[in-house]
Structure formats: C-alpha cells, structure tokens
Amino acid sequence: MRRRRLGGPSSTASSASEGGVGSSGGNMVQFYTDDALGIKISPTVVLVLNLFFIGFVTALHVFGKLYRSKLVPPGAQ
C-alpha cells in the first residue's frame, strides 16, 4: 500500500492524478495478485460460470413447467 506524501504545494495535484481512473496503483488489480488467498480465477471465468448457472436454472424452470403440464389431466384446471 502506498503512502501519501505530506507537505508541498504539488502534493495535492499529484494525489489527484494518482487516485484517478486509469492509474495503476491501489485499484482492482491488487485483488488479482499472488498475495491474495483462495482460488485464482479471472473475472471472465466468473462471468461465464454465472451465465451458465443462470441458464441452467432457467432450463430447470422450463422443464419443470413442461413436466407439470403433462402430469395434470386436461380437464382438471
């Protein structure tokens, strides 16, 4: 973790550029380093797995509706 420089008129101008969008320090990249604990997977893999899970749950709902509609006699509704 970086420390802020104290004092000097240029410290406020440099701190705004250091914490801005697109800077390489202190942003989301620090979560994907070798120091992090747990399984190392990329955000793309997480996104794809989430989409597969959503598709699987949707398919189960559709199959459940189709299966239930075949079990109910035609005049029972």
Side-chain angles (χ1 to χ4, degrees), residues 1-76:
M1 197 164 163
R2 294 192 304 178
R3 295 184 185 198
R4 260 190 208 172
R5 294 180 188 174
L6 299 176
S10 64
S11 66
T12 56
S14 65
S15 65
S17 65
E18 288 174 2
V21 176
S23 65
S24 61
N27 54 14
M28 289 295 289
V29 177
Q30 68 186 359
F31 291 116
Y32 303 107
T33 61
D34 292 333
D35 296 336
L37 299 175
I39 299 173
K40 309 288 190 291
I41 55 176
S42 71
T44 306
V45 174
V46 173
L47 178 66
V48 170
L49 290 175
N50 281 317
L51 291 175
F52 279 134
F53 178 72
I54 291 169
F56 181 72
V57 170
T58 304
L60 285 177
H61 280 287
V62 170
F63 291 144
K65 292 282 187 183
L66 293 174
Y67 181 72
R68 186 173 179 182
S69 68
K70 289 184 179 185
L71 288 179
V72 177

